[in-house]
Amino acid sequence: MLKAIILIGGPLKGTRFRPLSLDIPKPLFPVAGLPIIQHHIEACVRVPDLKEIILLGYYPSSDLMKFVQEMIQEYKIAIRYLQEYTALGTAGGMYHFRDQIRCGNPTAFFVINGDVCGDFPLLEMCEYYGEKDALVVVAGTEATRNQSVNYGCIISDKNTGEILHYVEKPSTFVSTLVNCGVYLCSLDIFQILAAVFKKKEEERVYDLASSNNDSTTIQLEQDVLRPLAGTGKAFVYQSKNWWSQLKPAGSTIYANRHFLQLYRKRHPERLRGVGIQEGNVKQIPKIIDDVFIHPTAFIHHTAVLGPNVSIGANAHIGPGVRIRESIILSGANISNHSLVMYSVVGRNSKIGAWSRVEGTPCDPNPNKPFAKMDNLPLFNSNGKLNPSITILGCSVSVPAEVILLNSIVLPYKELSRSFKNEIIL
Ligand code: GDD
Ligand code: GTP
């Protein structure tokens, strides 16, 4: 039997995801029509022997309860939310709830960062784990030399896959093989966590000078992977599947496109157009693949959607509207002949007629093999906003006949004119 833990963090994490995480916890933000971590759950459910999924984080449990109930009903699998009393680090929560994780004696358990997305190679990792005498198997992927330093970097034995050296976000180049934040761990890892915890607690208690009363945090990367490197107990499973982080709000557009592409293989029923019955004639808007449309959304038959568009529940898309490479959230209303591209339109936001809402794609450089998204900071060295996906928070109102370009608009803002390269507070 296997289990899975999804690390979802808490309100203090995911700050770069604002303003999209102001009205909904980041792990529940919908990409390709489903909350981010529902994609993780679906990946776990495909592993035949996996019997329980634990969401581990420090959001108030009231934020997650409804979602957990819905997931249990939908996938008929045990799913629980375990709440850390404070941020305990990427492995501190696992140690704190060790009895719950060990309960039922699973042969191994997955740990998946809630802020990554991809076609997780979980089945392949299980097989690989079976071939090794491993305490932990880490999913790894190739990155470019420059980008690799933003991740955990792995030096491995090319023949055996053993991790020889691990450095978390080094300041200079170490390796282009990076940690995907997806692990398969043996229960024996708790012995290491116990030793780390004991050592840190002793340091904390005797560290009188700094009067450090913080709780003991344990990081899976620095406190477990790094010391395990070179001991013959940690291995890397190198995957060529699509994988990306979900850090700034704009990264959802890239993830949206790839999840929609995965639906072709796994859930073609989710990719469909809508038909509108008018008299005896069924009129269908023009759809350019891939597009996800929630069944309750209204799309006028003269609208043109796609490629790579997701439309949420009860959204209303008027006549002549053109949308591409965008996420339109539930209840949004886009009036006649407006254009939306490379943008996220927040819940219940309104865009007036003949307006243009446009962002700049921030995809990985297609000419560089293994390039990942750059996750640029909001501002460049000249203090100017880096051109990026346009983001409208929830309940924003954009008037008719304006242009909104490369901008971020905070929730509930009523715009009165055009904006370009601005954060509208
Ligand atoms: N439950 C819980 N408690 N979860 C946490 C906590 C915590 O205290 N702190 C972080 N997390 C969760 C985050 O929500 C996220 O899903 C994941 O753990 C990783 O956290 P970060 O601290 O943001 O690390 P990172 O994303 O910069 O780097 C990690 O992921 C990279 C891949 O995306 C590292 O594992 C890197 O080595 C790795 O390359
Ligand atoms: P030990 O490795 O246990 O002796 O301690 P340390 O203080 O060197 O640990 P550290 O966290 O610095 O990282 C472990 C090893 O990773 C180092 O010995 C370096 O070889 C390597 N390393 C750490 N940071 C960097 C870095 O920024 N650049 C490069 N090239 N290597 C690094």
Side-chain angles (χ1 to χ4, degrees), residues 132-137 155-157 160-166 189 192 223-235:
K132 310 279 175 193
D133 177 25
L135 268 186
V136 57
V137 167
I155 293 176
S156 66
D157 182 313
T160 62
E162 185 195 335
I163 298 179
L164 301 174
H165 195 60
Y166 182 90
I189 206 155
I192 294 184
D223 297 324
V224 179
L225 285 184
R226 199 178 72 89
L228 269 185
T231 63
K233 288 289 176 190
F235 292 82

Side-chain angles (χ1 to χ4, degrees), residues 134-166:
L135 268 186
V136 57
V137 167
V138 183
T141 188
E142 198 73 23
T144 64
R145 214 181 143 88
N146 284 343
Q147 290 176 329
S148 63
V149 294
N150 301 319
Y151 301 89
C153 292
I154 301 168
I155 293 176
S156 66
D157 182 313
K158 292 283 167 288
N159 298 319
T160 62
E162 185 195 335
I163 298 179
L164 301 174
H165 195 60
Y166 182 90

Side-chain angles (χ1 to χ4, degrees), residues 128-321:
Y128 187 76
Y129 179 87
E131 295 164 8
K132 310 279 175 193
D133 177 25
L135 268 186
V136 57
V137 167
V138 183
T141 188
E142 198 73 23
T144 64
R145 214 181 143 88
N146 284 343
Q147 290 176 329
S148 63
V149 294
N150 301 319
Y151 301 89
C153 292
I154 301 168
I155 293 176
S156 66
D157 182 313
K158 292 283 167 288
N159 298 319
T160 62
E162 185 195 335
I163 298 179
L164 301 174
H165 195 60
Y166 182 90
V167 191
E168 181 64 19
K169 305 193 185 89
S171 48
T172 54
F173 175 73
V174 170
S175 164
T176 52
L177 181 59
V178 301
N179 172 3
C180 291
V182 180
Y183 315 87
L184 184 53
C185 305
S186 143
L187 286 192
D188 291 341
I189 206 155
F190 288 112
Q191 289 163 13
I192 294 184
L193 293 179
V196 172
F197 182 79
K198 192 159 166 272
K199 184 158 169 274
K200 289 199 168 201
E201 269 294 286
E202 282 167 6
E203 283 167 7
R204 190 168 74 99
V205 170
Y206 292 111
D207 188 10
L208 297 171
S210 68
S211 62
N212 179 3
N213 287 322
D214 293 346
S215 12
T216 304
T217 62
I218 308 179
Q219 304 299 345
L220 190 53
E221 300 84 354
Q222 291 91 334
D223 297 324
V224 179
L225 285 184
R226 199 178 72 89
L228 269 185
T231 63
K233 288 289 176 190
F235 292 82
V236 57
Y237 175 80
Q238 199 171 339
S239 165
K240 292 195 164 60
N241 291 2
W242 157 62
W243 175 86
S244 178
Q245 285 186 317
L246 278 160
K247 293 289 188 187
S251 58
T252 51
I253 295 299
Y254 178 66
N256 185 55
R257 181 191 318 150
H258 280 278
F259 276 130
L260 292 173
Q261 216 170 33
L262 269 191
Y263 286 171
R264 286 195 204 178
K265 190 162 79 179
R266 303 237 168 87
H267 293 280
E269 76 286 356
R270 288 185 188 157
L271 295 172
R272 62 199 149 131
V274 281
I276 300 154
Q277 205 75 36
E278 284 192 2
N280 291 329
V281 190
K282 196 169 191 197
Q283 296 182 297
I284 295 175
K286 183 162 180 208
I287 304 280
I288 303 163
D289 290 335
D290 300 313
V291 175
F292 168 90
I293 300 171
H294 192 275
T296 58
F298 170 83
I299 319 286
H300 194 271
H301 66 268
T302 57
V304 181
L305 307 184
N308 309 318
V309 169
S310 296
I311 311 271
N314 301 311
H316 188 284
I317 312 295
V321 167

Side-chain angles (χ1 to χ4, degrees), residues 66-83:
K66 187 165 161 274
F67 172 76
V68 169
Q69 288 311 322
E70 284 169 4
M71 293 302 100
I72 294 170
Q73 285 202 337
E74 177 134 8
Y75 299 103
K76 314 278 181 259
I77 185 171
I79 302 182
R80 280 193 296 162
Y81 173 54
L82 297 181
Q83 186 189 346

Side-chain angles (χ1 to χ4, degrees), residues 387-404:
S388 180
I389 301 292
T390 286
I391 310 279
L392 306 189
C394 68
S395 303
V396 165
S397 165
V398 178
E401 297 178 38
V402 298
I403 298 180
L404 188 60

Side-chain angles (χ1 to χ4, degrees), residues 8 54-58 80-84 93 97 100-101:
I8 63 171
I54 294 169
L55 309 180
L56 189 54
Y58 52 98
R80 280 193 296 162
Y81 173 54
L82 297 181
Q83 186 189 346
E84 295 164 24
F97 290 109
Q100 315 246 23
I101 298 167

